[in-house]
Amino acid sequence: HIDKGLTIRGVDIGSGQPIIDAGGIGNAVEISADQVTLHGIVAMNSSNTSLKHGAGIRFSASNYCTVSGIVSYDNYYGINLADSHNNTISASNISDSQYGIRIYFSNNNTIEQNTIRKTETPLDIVSSEGNLIQVNTLSDNSNEIKTSTENKIINNYDLFLKDINESKDYVE
């Protein structure tokens, strides 16, 4: 649990990125502070029960944070923003989760250059506005992006699992 502004940079010293494994309980990483930078880690195996939905990385009332170069898999939410504003999530790989990225009551966030694959729903944006979703690759997901109004979704590449023989550029 990160409750103070800080920078964490994972370093691959030959055996891969550092892994934070939630062991099926709670969130792998929980951020509840402003101005946190997180780069180069693997966040996996959060709680995935009907009673407790865990995340690889969960933002809770966190603002002006940057997450990049993350690998997040085997989570209910790959990355979950709740009541968090002005954050950037970039250059990350999210897969094998119920939801890739969930943005809930969170405004003015930037989600760019990520790969989200093998999820039920790649992006779920609820009661949020002013978010910029751009230049992401979404593939092998079961559903389309779900969004509330007043978000900018541009130049994303989306290949749906159900439309495996068709590709679609999602531009709004």
Side-chain angles (χ1 to χ4, degrees):
H1 184 237
I2 301 169
D3 60 1
K4 294 190 178 3
L6 56 79
T7 298
I8 296 176
R9 292 195 186 285
V11 177
D12 181 350
I13 56 172
S15 58
Q17 292 177 306
I19 297 171
I20 300 174
D21 185 339
I25 301 170
N27 304 303
V29 176
E30 171 117 15
I31 300 171
S32 62
D34 295 343
Q35 298 182 344
V36 171
T37 299
L38 187 59
H39 177 78
I41 65 158
V42 175
M44 61 178 279
N45 200 18
S46 68
S47 177
N48 198 3
T49 69
S50 60
L51 298 176
K52 177 71 175 162
H53 302 309
I57 299 172
R58 176 174 162 66
F59 291 83
S60 180
S62 302
N63 306 304
Y64 301 101
C65 297
T66 302
V67 171
S68 65
I70 300 299
V71 174
S72 177
Y73 67 93
D74 287 340
N75 301 295
Y76 190 82
Y77 301 111
I79 297 176
N80 185 11
L81 287 86
D83 299 308
S84 298
H85 314 288
N86 301 297
N87 299 294
T88 301
I89 299 168
S90 65
S92 295
N93 291 301
I94 301 161
S95 67
D96 301 298
S97 299
Q98 190 75 16
Y99 292 88
I101 297 175
R102 182 176 189 234
I103 302 174
Y104 184 75
F105 287 93
S106 298
N107 304 321
N108 303 313
N109 297 290
T110 300
I111 312 297
E112 62 186 355
Q113 298 178 338
N114 299 288
T115 298
I116 303 171
R117 53 190 287 273
K118 295 184 181 178
T119 67
E120 274 297 310
T121 304
L123 285 161
D124 185 31
I125 306 171
V126 179
S127 298
S128 302
E129 60 185 37
N131 295 293
L132 174 61
I133 314 299
Q134 68 178 358
V135 196
N136 296 286
T137 299
L138 314 172
S139 67
D140 300 324
N141 300 296
S142 298
N143 297 303
E144 297 178 312
I145 294 171
K146 295 179 183 176
T147 184
S148 48
T149 60
E150 303 303 321
N151 293 294
K152 192 171 186 179
I153 302 174
I154 57 171
N155 299 325
N156 294 288
Y157 178 74
D158 199 345
L159 180 62
F160 294 102
L161 185 60
K162 63 185 176 189
D163 299 328
I164 201 71
N165 294 323
E166 297 178 27
S167 63
K168 175 181 173 184
D169 288 326
Y170 196 102
V171 179
E172 192 172 276

